[in-house]
Amino acid sequence: MYLLKTVSLTPAQAKKIRKLFWMGPDTRTVTVEDIAYAGLDEERELARKAGREEGLSVLRSVLRDLWKARFGKVPKTVQSRFATAEAKQLKQWASRLVTAKSPADVLR
């Protein structure tokens, strides 16, 4: 309890520490590493998701810029398709955009 009250922990870290100590000293030895890395898996997962979203945002922005350079203004319907598409679809459109003769060739 002293540790939980004196150290600034995220809720996930506090939960993990409670779980570690709940097992009892006969079952498990709690190390400094256990305490230091408590909740780290959850934080890594959140960071991974944030990184993925940032990557998708950059890919969408590049695709819009390529479209503008190739065909001019990006129609609202195309912008909404870019905004909702996943990475695989965005990559396909980016590849097609390089050789497409018309906007329809990109989004087929």
Side-chain angles (χ1 to χ4, degrees):
M1 288 308 283
Y2 174 79
L3 180 65
L4 294 175
K5 290 180 180 179
T6 58
V7 178
S8 176
L9 300 170
T10 66
Q13 290 170 322
K15 182 179 177 181
K16 181 124 184 199
I17 289 172
R18 282 190 195 97
K19 183 179 177 184
L20 290 170
F21 282 103
W22 180 258
M23 295 172 72
D26 297 335
T27 317
R28 169 122 166 91
T29 303
V30 179
T31 65
V32 173
E33 288 81 15
D34 291 332
I35 295 167
Y37 295 113
L40 192 57
D41 293 337
E42 293 88 355
E43 291 174 21
R44 284 183 182 157
E45 182 63 22
L46 289 173
R48 188 191 65 78
K49 286 180 182 178
R52 184 178 190 287
E53 287 303 317
E54 184 178 345
L56 283 174
S57 177
V58 168
L59 184 54
R60 288 178 178 120
S61 176
V62 168
L63 197 53
R64 279 190 303 272
D65 291 346
L66 289 172
W67 185 284
K68 285 178 194 174
R70 184 77 191 243
F71 301 116
K73 186 178 177 185
V74 183
K76 295 277 184 194
T77 55
V78 173
Q79 289 181 26
S80 67
R81 288 185 70 183
F82 287 171
T84 58
E86 290 297 319
K88 183 177 179 182
Q89 184 66 62
L90 292 169
K91 289 176 187 176
Q92 285 177 340
W93 289 338
S95 295
R96 291 179 191 161
L97 194 57
V98 175
T99 58
K101 292 184 172 47
S102 73
D105 292 341
V106 176
L107 301 176
R108 60 180 162 95

